[in-house]
Amino acid sequence: MSFTHLDASGAARMVDVTAKEVTAREATAAGRVLVTPEVVALLRGEGVPKGDAIAVARIAGIAGAKRTPDLVPLCHPIALHGVTVDLQVTDEAVEITATARTADRTGVEMEALTSVAVAGLTVIDMVKAVDPRASITDVRLLAKSGGKKGDWVR
């Protein structure tokens, strides 16, 4: 097995997807932002000083998915047909799940992962005045479907 983003000499390249079939594709990623009990209480109650952290992070996650090829150099710019970002406040974290969908020649795994990462960074930005130790953990792909390789589930 070799890396598809390297040519024969080992130089980075964008994979040519011209000959691939256009298929419906979907990917779901997840991650979490570890926060203090004080932040959890604020998120479940009156909110953090900057405003509605969950709503802002949801919108940031969607925007992040849309900007993936600007942030990850070898990602193809694809038409996203749907992005959902769900954030759930637990007793020690904000759990983030993002799903990206398209009908295109290449997958949306990086868009789902970028969505989670940007939503997580936004949570940190919103809560850092209360919890400067907040941290993003466990950003990972959960599942993908479509394309030549078909379905994959963690």
Side-chain angles (χ1 to χ4, degrees):
M1 173 74 51
S2 61
F3 290 113
T4 58
H5 285 80
L6 300 177
D7 67 15
S9 68
R13 68 176 176 100
M14 185 180 227
V15 175
D16 185 349
V17 297
T18 307
K20 286 181 148 188
E21 293 291 322
V22 171
T23 62
R25 297 163 186 266
E26 180 175 294
T28 300
R32 64 180 49 98
V33 179
L34 301 176
V35 295
T36 62
E38 181 182 8
V39 169
V40 169
L42 288 169
L43 291 173
R44 289 179 172 164
E46 64 197 47
V48 295
K50 282 190 168 185
D52 187 345
I54 300 302
V56 173
R58 180 176 295 110
I59 297 300
I62 293 167
K66 293 165 67 174
R67 300 297 299 227
T68 299
D70 296 331
L71 301 169
V72 182
L74 300 179
C75 280
H76 293 85
I78 60 173
L80 287 174
H81 296 281
V83 178
T84 57
V85 181
D86 296 310
L87 295 99
Q88 180 182 0
V89 181
T90 67
D91 289 342
E92 68 251 349
V94 177
E95 301 286 341
I96 305 165
T97 305
T99 300
R101 291 174 224 62
T102 191
D104 216 311
R105 290 181 165 85
T106 190
V108 289
E109 297 92 339
M110 293 310 301
E111 286 76 5
L113 287 161
T114 301
S115 178
V116 169
V118 172
L121 288 168
T122 302
V123 170
I124 288 176
D125 181 50
M126 298 292 289
V127 307
K128 69 184 179 209
V130 178
D131 181 7
R133 292 180 56 187
S135 61
I136 301 171
T137 66
D138 303 315
V139 175
R140 67 221 180 267
L141 185 66
L142 297 180
K144 69 134 213 117
S145 64
K148 185 172 72 172
K149 292 183 182 172
D151 297 352
W152 178 87
V153 177
R154 178 171 291 283

